Each structure stands twice: as structure tokens, then as C-alpha cells.
Amino acid sequence: MRRLPATLSFLIASIAATPLLGQAPSEQPQSEPAPAPASPLPTLEVGDMLPPVVVEDLSQAKAGSFSEFYGRAVLLEFFATWCGPCVLSVPHLNELQEKYGARGLSVVAVTTESAKKTLPWIEKNKVEYAWGRDTSGELHRLFQVKSIPSAALIDSFGMVQWIGDPRRLREDTIESALKEAFAQPVWEWPEDARPLAQLLEKGAFAAALQEAAKLPAREGFDFPTLVRGRIAPLVTKFEGLVERMEYTDAFRLGELLEKGLSTLPEGEKLAARLSELRADREIMRHVTAETRMVELEARASALRKTADAELLRGEVAAFLESKPSSKFEPRAKILLDALDRGLEKAKKAAEAEKAGGKTGKKPQ
């Protein structure tokens, strides 16, 4: 099979995906052990909820575990000691932690390397934020980390707000993620209340309310009200997604909330609303079109062979002919144009290579 030239791969990736500037994991020295073999895991995108995860050897943090960051905005940064651009990111990340830390932002850097190798790097580069180890590689797989430095901003409810190069994170995006952040972080809660954060992190709001009701009253801590305060903004966010016709994200959030609120009145209302949306043929047509569009873009960003690009080109053209909603037609046309230009470059490169073989000269 013919290999896809770098020109086509770069062209499609630049349009169909967000490029990350930095070093690829393949540039890691061979002496460094790779993460454990990957197990099937969902991948996360903006709008998804971060599932409970483990960051081992958490250092330079008041939190005793990653679950204690719940209620704060968290900027997860993926780095390694062999990554040159990661060094350049440190001053910026230090600045973000200093500027927004008191308002609820925690920068948490994550590596797959050993603590023995990483600690000297942390000290040498004067890292002032929390860091830990993703020994299983689970976090890296969840966010499909292909080059570093890379980062993901999680809001105070555990929802992914942004993914990209940490040096390109806008301050207004941080401000948005800081909304509703806890005035008192979980690590300042009474010891017997901290398991409550784990239930909230899982989205188990009905169970969290039951747990909160068992906790003794304390000055400055009203845990039932706190839990209720986590529910209302998420339900409002769900309705906002519906109003903006962002139905795929709305279903994703709504189904999560429906499960977590199952025994509460809010859960019954949400279940009824989801049933109403599912019964609307036009809405479901929109969801089907968006799912297909996202799939096509994801395949384009991973292209390696010209034959695959030609096959995908036909599928994108067929998608356009199916008359998707007006929201996705421009995206499909952009992708189709990228594929056409890439395939044309691949064709010219193949002709030049063939001509060079006949004359014995290398193509210029």
C-alpha cells in the first residue's frame, strides 16, 4: 500500500484537528519504559466529564489525592523530562498558578516517567505547581496525548473545557472554568467529609445528598446545601446546550446527570426532558449528522495511507450529498477541500518519484 505523504497528513491534521506544538512521545529515549499496555478506554473531548482517575506520587500539593481537587478548576499538563518545549512552559504555568491559585485553579503536571528521574527535573526548572505520575498511562490515553507539552482544563464541576498547548490557553477560558469553584477546597474539609468529594466527582449526586445528610453540622460547612449547589448549575448548563442546539453535548451531559440524579425530583424532570428530545426526529437527525461529522474528522486526522484518504474522500462527498444540517455542511466542505488538495499533492509527489526513477535523478 502507498504511504500517505507528510504533506497530506499535515494538511488534513491542520484543518480537521487541533495541532499540538511540541515533541512527540516517539522522541522519548528508548531507555525509558513505556506505560503499561493500553486497555480499552473512552477518550475525552471538550464537554465530557472527567471520570475518577488516579495520579500517583502527588507532590507539591495540599491535596492528598486527585479526588481532593474536585471543586477546583484543574489544568492538567502532560510533560516529560526529555521534552524541550516542556521546559519553556514552566514559567507560564508557574505564573498561572500564582495568579489564579487563590481563586480556585490548580495546575497539576503529569508524567509517565519515574519519580527518580522526574524530581531532579522539577527542582532544576523550579516548578512551583503540583505534579504526579500517570504510571498506567490512563490519563494520557483518555486525552489522546500524541505530543507534548499538552494540557486539558477541567472546570470546577469536572467537565473538560479546553484541550491544547498550555502556552495557548486564554485567560477568559480560565475565568470561565473558575465559576462556582469551592471557597474551601476539599483538603480543608473535615476528614469525615472528604469521601463526599469522591461521590461528587463520580456525579453520584443522589448518593452525595444522602452522605451529606449524615455529616454533623459544623460552622462554615453546610454540606447538603453544597451538594445542591453542584446540581443546579449542571442542570442549567444542560438546558443551555439544548437552547443552543448543541444536542450531542446536551445528551452526553443529560444522560450523566440522569444517572446521578435518578432518585431525586430533578432526575425525574431530566429523564422526561431527555425522552422529549429523543422523540424529536429533527433533533435526532442533527445528532446523527454531528456524530458522523466528528467520526469523519477523527479519521482524517489519523490518515497514513493514500488509499485510505481516497476512501474517506468518497465518504465525505456522500455525507455532503445527504444534505446534513447547515451547521455541518461548511465543516464537511472544508474537510473535502483538504482531502482534495492533499490527494493532489500526493499524486504529484508520486509522479515526481516515478519520473526520478526513470532518469536516475532524485526528485527536487
Side-chain angles (χ1 to χ4, degrees):
M1 300 289 284
R2 290 173 291 169
R3 283 297 215 179
L4 187 71
T7 50
L8 176 55
S9 180
F10 174 78
L11 176 62
I12 293 173
S14 66
I15 294 177
T18 302
L20 297 175
L21 302 179
Q23 289 182 264
S26 59
E27 297 174 34
Q28 181 177 3
Q30 295 301 311
S31 59
E32 179 64 30
S39 57
L41 284 170
T43 55
L44 298 181
E45 300 173 352
V46 172
D48 288 338
M49 300 294 287
L50 180 70
V53 297
V54 175
V55 176
E56 296 185 15
D57 301 326
L58 194 59
S59 304
Q60 299 187 174
K62 294 180 180 179
S65 65
F66 190 77
S67 65
E68 291 188 10
F69 286 109
Y70 179 81
R72 289 179 68 82
V74 176
L75 180 61
L76 280 170
E77 190 246 358
F78 300 96
F79 78 104
T81 60
W82 46 264
C83 168
C86 294
V87 176
L88 301 177
S89 295
V90 171
H92 177 58
L93 294 173
N94 281 341
E95 181 181 341
L96 291 180
Q97 183 62 72
E98 174 67 23
K99 183 174 181 178
Y100 294 103
R103 295 179 52 201
L105 177 71
S106 288
V107 178
V108 182
V110 180
T111 181
T112 59
E113 295 181 291
S114 68
K116 182 179 180 180
K117 176 175 286 188
T118 304
L119 185 56
W121 186 93
I122 293 289
E123 294 175 345
K124 177 182 177 181
N125 293 293
K126 300 180 180 179
V127 172
E128 298 173 359
Y129 40 86
W131 67 279
R133 300 173 58 230
D134 178 26
T135 55
S136 67
E138 177 181 342
L139 263 175
H140 284 69
R141 292 193 294 275
L142 280 171
F143 287 100
Q144 306 176 70
V145 178
K146 296 178 181 178
S147 64
I148 53 177
S150 176
L153 181 64
I154 318 298
D155 71 13
S156 64
F157 292 93
M159 182 176 291
V160 181
Q161 293 293 317
W162 174 91
I163 300 173
D165 187 316
R167 294 165 293 183
R168 297 183 177 182
L169 176 58
R170 293 162 52 103
E171 294 198 4
D172 59 343
T173 305
I174 297 175
E175 291 285 352
S176 177
L178 286 171
K179 292 178 180 177
E180 307 291 339
F182 286 162
Q184 289 180 294
V186 172
W187 56 78
E188 293 182 0
W189 290 8
E191 191 69 32
D192 61 347
R194 296 186 187 184
L196 183 62
Q198 297 176 359
L199 292 172
L200 291 171
E201 185 184 19
K202 294 175 183 177
F205 296 109
L209 270 178
Q210 292 178 348
E211 180 67 22
K214 298 175 185 176
L215 294 171
R218 295 179 176 88
E219 184 177 354
F221 290 95
D222 183 346
F223 290 111
T225 299
L226 181 147
V227 174
R228 287 284 182 189
R230 307 310 284 172
I231 296 172
L234 287 173
V235 173
T236 299
K237 185 175 183 65
F238 163 77
E239 291 294 350
L241 290 169
V242 173
E243 289 177 11
R244 296 194 299 274
M245 299 177 62
E246 297 176 21
Y247 297 118
T248 301
D249 288 342
F251 276 115
R252 193 159 50 214
L253 177 58
E255 288 163 2
L256 178 68
L257 290 173
E258 182 183 22
K259 182 179 179 181
L261 299 170
S262 57
T263 60
L264 300 175
E266 294 93 335
E268 295 178 6
K269 292 180 181 179
L270 193 63
R273 182 70 168 126
L274 286 169
S275 295
E276 178 186 331
L277 294 173
R278 293 189 185 105
D280 190 313
R281 291 185 178 181
E282 188 60 31
I283 288 177
M284 297 314 296
R285 179 174 176 270
H286 179 103
V287 171
T288 299
E290 181 170 13
T291 300
R292 180 59 170 161
M293 187 71 251
V294 170
E295 177 200 348
L296 293 170
E297 290 173 335
R299 285 172 55 192
S301 68
L303 283 173
R304 292 294 180 270
K305 300 177 181 178
T306 304
D308 292 340
E310 292 168 343
L311 177 64
L312 182 60
R313 198 259 176 221
E315 292 185 40
V316 175
F319 177 75
L320 269 171
E321 290 176 5
S322 71
K323 301 187 185 302
S325 73
S326 58
K327 181 176 180 179
F328 307 113
E329 187 173 346
R331 283 167 61 178
K333 287 181 177 179
I334 288 172
L335 182 54
L336 187 65
D337 181 61
L339 287 164
D340 283 341
R341 284 185 285 150
L343 285 168
E344 182 62 26
K345 286 180 180 290
K347 179 181 178 182
K348 290 181 178 179
E351 291 174 349
E353 184 177 357
K354 185 177 180 180
K358 287 183 178 180
T359 62
K361 296 180 180 180
K362 293 183 179 181
Q364 300 296 314

